[in-house]
Amino acid sequence: MNVLLRAVLFVAVVAIFAVFSLGADAQPKKVRLGVEGAYPPFSEIDTSGKLKGFDIDIANALCAQMKVECVFVQLAFDGMIPALNSRKIDAVIASMSITDERKKAVDFTDRYYKTPAQFVVKKGSTLEVTPAGLKGKRVGVQRSTIHDRFVGENFKSADIVRYTKQDEVFLDLASGRVDAAVLDMIAAQVGFLKTPQGKNFHFVGPVYDDPKYFGVGAGIALRKGDNSLREDFNKAIAAIRANGIYKKIQDVYFDFDVYGTAAATAAAAATNATAKK
Amino acid sequence: MNFDAIIESLPMYATGIGTTLQLLAVALAAGLLLAMPLGIARASNNVWISRPVWLYTYVIRGTPMLVQLFLIYYGVAQFEWVRLSVLWPLLSSAWFCAVLAFTLNTAAYTAEIIAGAMRAVPYGEVEAANSLGMSKLQVLTRILLPSAMRRALPAYSNEVIMMLHGTSLASVVTVMDLTGAAREMNSRTYLPFEAFLTAGACYMLLTFSLVGLFHFAERRWLQHLAPRKNSFDVSGVVLTTAPRI
């Protein structure tokens, strides 16, 4: 009896292990993606508390293409690279521009879009976008971004105010706490200028796309040496570009090609011209 | 550990410490000034005087300081009439909003500390004052307050240290305090461990300096409540002259 009981137990335990290991094999690989949720139209939280935006849709499309299960982890932008390097997440899809400085800390995939930057001020503001014109003026910028570095190095005379989130820059720009903001043109256009909050504001000054600051576009950041995941992402980006899924997603948010540098710059310049009118 | 990056950022931390101490000093001074009348009112036997103060401390102590700071900085700025008012030059400054939030906060906590210390003054002292024919105001200014302020010292030193740590919230509304310096270093170098460890070490240094100051103050003003030295202990055995065997 005892022996029989033992045998039954043994079989049961083996069966349980077998089921579990089978289950593990059948499950798709899990990839934890750092996203921001406060950078419209790329990444934001809708009224029901769900993540949405260009970054999120691209991330979902890439995960579907790679046949992996993606888990979104919402983080502040300046916490992305630390979270990546401390293994809390596996990749960052947060409109992060590929720059040499960041490449010291992380690896990047190929770009998945690129847009230039410009200053935004209140309509009727006489502010001149030159180092002399911005002297002592308060310029809002999101901390840790390429725009932060750009304004810090080129407009040293300005009083630069750094925020954790782009939303907070918009709030203080609207309330007049800062005289100007410098940021990604699409983020400015869709996240602020086209909203009721930003209706009295417009772009001024030149369009900036110097690769020294603005890199070659936004890529997906990965831990250094995570080459297999990088290759997977690169293949997936190429695949969704080729099969039309990228265009379908892009058309939801933008009326021009956000992937190509030349096209994006021209479109941005065109919208700028209309904004000035 | 990347020590070069830390050394390179030290000037930024020094400025940050200056801002942190400035925030702390102004908030504590204004907070204490507010807390004195509030504390006296809170200890009053008249409910019409003590209840409103109770409500104030209840609300402030019942909500996180971060929420209060967000309400003052982003919340109030939402209203057009606030932005057009004469107060806007003040309220548009992140530094002022931080100091305002910290002041309201520490005033509530300190008021409770003072009220508690006033209740802890032995009633015999008050009776003795009454029997000498002192007026209510005289009892308050000559007996109750001096005694209560001394007794409040240990609890107040805690409050000061909590406020020092609380000032780190200022960095979320763009004030470049000590924590702001650490966040700035983190965003420039992507070395969060070094950045925040340096900030932590600075805060610890400041905390220990404050603890030392309060230790000195307690030795000076709380001597009468300290355990007796060079004298008899309760059992009557002479401590200092007892021969060591």
Side-chain angles (χ1 to χ4, degrees):
Chain A
M1 193 62 189
N2 220 345
V3 175
L4 185 68
L5 194 68
R6 272 190 194 183
V8 168
L9 263 178
F10 180 75
V11 170
V13 167
V14 167
I16 287 168
F17 269 102
V19 165
F20 267 100
S21 53
L22 266 180
D25 278 347
Q27 256 177 6
K29 208 173 114 191
K30 253 190 193 173
V31 179
R32 295 164 300 172
L33 298 176
V35 295
E36 197 185 353
Y39 196 65
F42 295 101
S43 189
E44 59 184 310
I45 310 277
D46 69 10
T47 43
S48 64
K50 275 166 91 178
L51 284 159
K52 65 167 190 180
F54 181 75
D55 281 351
I56 309 296
D57 289 354
I58 289 286
N60 280 325
L62 292 176
C63 292
Q65 188 69 37
M66 289 157 61
K67 297 194 172 59
V68 294
E69 190 192 335
C70 286
V71 184
F72 289 119
V73 181
Q74 205 195 331
L75 291 166
F77 190 76
D78 60 356
M80 293 284 179
I81 290 178
L84 187 61
N85 284 331
S86 59
R87 300 188 168 269
K88 290 191 176 73
I89 51 176
D90 304 308
V92 176
I93 303 192
S95 297
M96 191 178 275
S97 297
I98 304 165
T99 61
D100 287 338
E101 196 149 75
R102 288 196 180 120
K103 275 187 189 165
K104 288 180 200 157
V106 294
D107 278 352
F108 279 101
T109 61
D110 299 337
R111 78 163 190 267
Y112 66 95
Y113 80 87
K114 175 172 178 167
T115 53
Q118 205 174 4
F119 278 89
V120 171
V121 297
K122 193 165 194 149
K123 280 177 191 163
S125 159
T126 53
L127 216 61
E128 254 185 78
V129 186
T130 56
L134 288 176
K135 187 165 187 279
K137 298 292 175 195
R138 291 168 64 80
V139 177
V141 68
Q142 190 181 9
R143 187 193 303 281
S144 281
T145 57
I146 50 176
H147 313 98
D148 181 358
R149 198 172 144 242
F150 167 75
V151 73
E153 288 185 12
N154 291 283
F155 296 92
K156 284 202 178 79
S157 55
D159 182 5
I160 300 161
V161 190
R162 297 182 170 85
Y163 294 82
T164 310
K165 292 182 174 185
Q166 191 67 56
D167 291 4
E168 296 169 355
V169 183
F170 293 149
L171 277 174
D172 272 4
L173 187 62
S175 71
R177 278 201 182 107
V178 292
D179 303 307
V182 59
L183 67 158
D184 181 276
M185 289 188 70
I186 293 182
Q189 186 92 55
V190 186
F192 186 64
L193 298 176
K194 280 190 178 169
T195 66
Q197 192 189 20
K199 67 176 192 293
N200 291 323
F201 291 80
H202 65 167
F203 286 118
V204 287
V207 173
Y208 303 102
D209 66 349
D210 182 353
K212 184 186 163 203
Y213 299 105
F214 301 103
V216 292
I220 299 163
L222 307 145
R223 264 187 299 279
K224 276 209 163 295
D226 203 349
N227 292 327
S228 70
L229 190 59
R230 198 185 66 208
E231 280 317 302
D232 287 350
F233 269 122
N234 280 343
K235 273 183 217 154
I237 292 171
I240 62 167
R241 283 285 301 164
N243 67 14
I245 293 178
Y246 185 98
K247 191 176 180 324
K248 216 182 263 173
I249 294 171
Q250 164 200 295
D251 289 349
V252 175
Y253 298 94
F254 315 110
D255 39 16
F256 51 83
D257 188 1
V258 288
Y259 185 79
T261 312
T265 310
T271 48
N272 182 33
T274 42
K276 269 180 186 160
K277 281 176 204 162
Chain B
M1 282 289 275
N2 187 338
F3 288 102
D4 292 343
I6 294 178
I7 290 164
E8 229 168 75
S9 306
L10 279 182
M12 205 165 65
Y13 280 89
T15 326
I17 288 178
T19 309
T20 291
L21 286 178
Q22 197 188 28
L23 284 170
L24 182 70
V26 176
L28 284 176
L32 191 61
L33 223 60
L34 262 177
M36 290 278 230
L38 286 177
I40 294 166
R42 178 81 179 88
S44 163
N45 288 326
N46 185 337
V47 286
W48 292 104
I49 297 174
S50 75
R51 274 282 147 153
V53 182
W54 167 84
L55 183 69
Y56 170 70
T57 66
Y58 185 81
V59 169
I60 295 283
R61 298 197 302 164
T63 50
M65 193 154 73
L66 181 62
V67 172
Q68 297 159 13
L69 182 57
F70 276 153
L71 267 176
I72 293 172
Y73 187 77
Y74 287 118
V76 172
Q78 178 190 323
F79 303 107
E80 182 85 34
W81 59 267
V82 173
R83 296 206 297 271
L84 295 175
S85 77
V86 287
L87 287 175
W88 182 241
L90 278 177
L91 283 171
S92 71
S93 143
W95 189 89
F96 178 82
C97 289
V99 162
L100 182 64
F102 298 163
T103 301
L104 293 178
N105 207 273
T106 187
Y109 281 92
T110 309
E112 287 293 333
I113 290 171
I114 292 174
M118 284 175 72
R119 284 186 217 107
V121 174
Y123 199 63
E125 291 180 20
V126 181
E127 273 182 336
N130 283 339
S131 70
L132 286 171
M134 285 191 194
S135 70
K136 269 194 166 175
L137 187 70
Q138 279 174 327
V139 174
L140 185 72
T141 55
R142 291 186 185 174
I143 309 296
L144 264 174
L145 275 183
S147 182
M149 294 309 271
R150 285 162 190 241
R151 276 167 216 274
L153 262 180
Y156 188 63
S157 73
N158 265 339
E159 168 59 20
V160 169
I161 288 158
M162 293 306 285
M163 273 314 291
L164 167 67
H165 296 169
T167 57
S168 64
L169 293 179
S171 70
V172 301
V173 292
T174 74
V175 177
M176 279 295 282
D177 70 334
L178 190 44
T179 306
R183 293 172 75 167
E184 186 61 29
M185 177 184 169
N186 176 31
S187 78
R188 278 188 199 170
T189 60
Y190 305 115
L191 295 170
F193 188 71
E194 283 84 344
F196 291 108
L197 195 72
T198 310
C202 293
Y203 276 115
M204 206 152 80
L205 214 72
L206 293 178
T207 303
F208 284 142
S209 313
L210 286 174
V211 169
L213 272 178
F214 272 100
H215 194 71
F216 177 78
E218 280 173 33
R219 261 206 319 235
R220 175 146 167 63
W221 286 302
L222 273 183
Q223 195 59 307
H224 64 293
L225 294 181
R228 288 192 176 190
K229 278 174 274 172
N230 308 325
S231 178
F232 298 103
D233 77 357
V234 267
S235 61
V237 178
V238 178
L239 291 174
T240 45
T241 55
R244 287 184 70 132
I245 301 162

